[in-house]
Amino acid sequence: GGPLPPKGKSIAESKKSNRISSVIGRRDRFKEFLYHVVANGHSGLDVDKMDYLLRDGRRALGESGKGSMTMIMENSCVAWGKCGNPAKCWECRKASQDIKLSSDKRDGYHLMIVYPDKEGRMIDNVMEFFANRFQKHQTIYTHSTTNAACYQICDILLLADPYLRIPGFDPDDGKTLLQLPLSRAMIS
């Protein structure tokens, strides 16, 4: 598991390197939009959200149609766009630190997935998408049965905590391998 090292560098060399950013992260400004297909931090419209809305609507509510998502998918394209939140944007922070990226006169602009309003209905479709998401959060994800199941899973994990051990490193020295209880396995 984990990300692949940069081109021309072996995994062993990357593990020895102190520069984590050379191994982990999004390094190519002109391919950054590919990450937005699955996790779009600029608009919140991504295939992951579309997939779970369609899936959960079909399985929990018996819905069959794709609704506004078909038009959104068919009309999306990639274009240069001004970043709406440069303080929280990974690309903007990276560009301000990296002289090579900031010298191309596109500071604050990114290649991003955009949704042009060709037929005058795109805004309505996007609003319908987010209204549908809000409605599903109200009816499915925060439903009393769903919450009860979450509490039951938490109770099960609490009961399993003394018995279920997960390998992990000692937080003090970072080298000693320990068998941690489930409740401590995620603490870093």
Side-chain angles (χ1 to χ4, degrees):
L4 294 174
K7 194 172 188 177
K9 196 169 188 182
S10 73
I11 294 173
E13 288 173 322
S14 295
K15 285 182 179 178
K16 291 176 187 175
S17 172
N18 290 337
R19 229 178 134 226
I20 294 173
S21 63
S22 69
V23 181
I24 299 171
R26 306 165 182 173
R27 299 176 298 123
D28 190 344
R29 178 177 200 176
F30 300 101
K31 293 181 183 175
E32 177 67 25
F33 71 90
L34 294 172
Y35 291 92
H36 299 172
V37 172
V38 178
N40 194 331
H42 290 290
S43 69
L45 281 170
D46 54 57
V47 294
D48 189 46
K49 284 185 184 77
M50 291 180 186
D51 174 58
Y52 81 69
L53 286 176
L54 286 172
R55 181 194 63 225
D56 295 346
R58 185 175 300 121
R59 293 189 178 157
L61 303 174
E63 296 172 353
S64 60
K66 292 179 179 73
S68 61
M69 291 185 222
T70 302
M71 184 177 185
I72 292 171
M73 292 289 288
E74 288 175 355
N75 290 304
S76 61
C77 61
V78 176
W80 286 99
K82 182 118 175 99
C83 184
N85 194 354
K88 290 189 176 182
C89 177
W90 179 89
E91 293 168 88
C92 288
R93 287 183 304 192
K94 178 67 175 158
S96 68
Q97 294 169 358
D98 193 342
I99 296 168
K100 289 185 293 186
L101 291 179
S102 62
S103 66
D104 71 0
K105 307 289 189 237
R106 294 191 192 251
D107 287 340
Y109 284 84
H110 310 290
L111 279 174
M112 56 179 70
I113 300 171
V114 296
Y115 309 92
D117 200 12
K118 294 178 184 173
E119 300 173 21
R121 297 190 327 255
M122 187 58 76
I123 292 173
D124 293 335
N125 286 314
V126 170
M127 293 303 290
E128 181 184 329
F129 170 82
F130 284 110
N132 187 12
R133 183 171 181 241
F134 177 76
Q135 182 260 337
K136 285 202 175 47
H137 272 279
Q138 297 297 311
T139 57
I140 300 173
Y141 309 125
T142 58
H143 190 272
S144 59
T145 306
T146 306
N147 289 339
C150 288
Y151 288 128
Q152 288 176 339
I153 291 170
C154 287
D155 290 342
I156 291 168
L157 291 173
L158 285 171
L159 290 171
D161 192 53
Y163 307 104
L164 186 59
R165 299 292 179 168
I166 296 178
F169 291 102
D170 185 355
D172 295 331
D173 67 7
K175 296 178 182 177
T176 309
L177 187 63
L178 302 172
Q179 293 293 320
L180 299 172
L182 191 60
S183 61
R184 296 228 16 244
M186 294 301 291
I187 298 172
S188 57

